[in-house]
């Protein structure tokens, strides 16, 4: 079995990117042993950057936002994951670009802010 991944993690505050990290690596199971390294799979990194662009388009300017895009390949199966944590004051919600509008309305209401 061969496993590879690429993950980009970004922190945005007030609509500005504060930090960005890229992690990547591969692992191969050989019998009872797992051999792992930080090898870069450019196709996974490219797919990860595509997911990140979708997340960046959803950054909430008046909040602290953590974006995480992850693409993994296990043998021939590819999976993608895009999540964002939006924090306003002491409250936060983990959501996706598709659910952001509804989750943000709940967060703003829970924080007692005007929509």
């Amino acid at each position: 079995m061969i496993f590879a991944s690429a993950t980009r993690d970004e922190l945005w505050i007030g609509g500005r990117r504060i930090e960005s990290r890229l992690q990547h690596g591969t692992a191969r199971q050989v019998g009872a042993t797992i051999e792992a390294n930080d090898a870069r799979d450019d196709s996974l990194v490219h797919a990860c950057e595509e997911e990140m662009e979708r997340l960046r388009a959803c950054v909430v300017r008046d909040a602290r936002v953590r974006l995480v895009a992850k693409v993994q390949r296990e043998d021939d199966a590819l999976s993608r994951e895009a999540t964002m944590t939006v924090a306003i004051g002491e409250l936060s919600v983990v959501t996706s670009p598709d659910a952001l509008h509804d989750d943000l309305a709940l967060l703003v209401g829970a924080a007692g802010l005007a929509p």
Side-chain angles (χ1 to χ4, degrees), residues 62 86-92 103-115:
D62 298 329
V86 180
I88 298 175
E90 301 278 326
L91 301 176
S92 64
D103 288 344
L104 189 57
L106 292 171
L107 182 62
V108 167
L113 302 173

Side-chain angles (χ1 to χ4, degrees), residues 34-54:
I34 296 176
E35 299 171 355
N37 60 49
D38 64 351
R40 177 184 173 120
D41 180 323
D42 287 334
S43 67
L44 291 183
V45 171
H46 179 73
C48 184
E49 293 299 340
E50 289 177 344
E51 289 297 315
M52 185 54 71
E53 285 301 318
R54 190 168 69 103

Side-chain angles (χ1 to χ4, degrees), residues 76-102:
D76 292 329
L78 188 69
S79 65
R80 295 173 179 240
E81 186 178 312
T83 58
M84 49 195 317
T85 303
V86 180
I88 298 175
E90 301 278 326
L91 301 176
S92 64
V93 63
V94 177
T95 189
S96 67
D98 297 334
L100 177 62
H101 180 73
D102 292 336

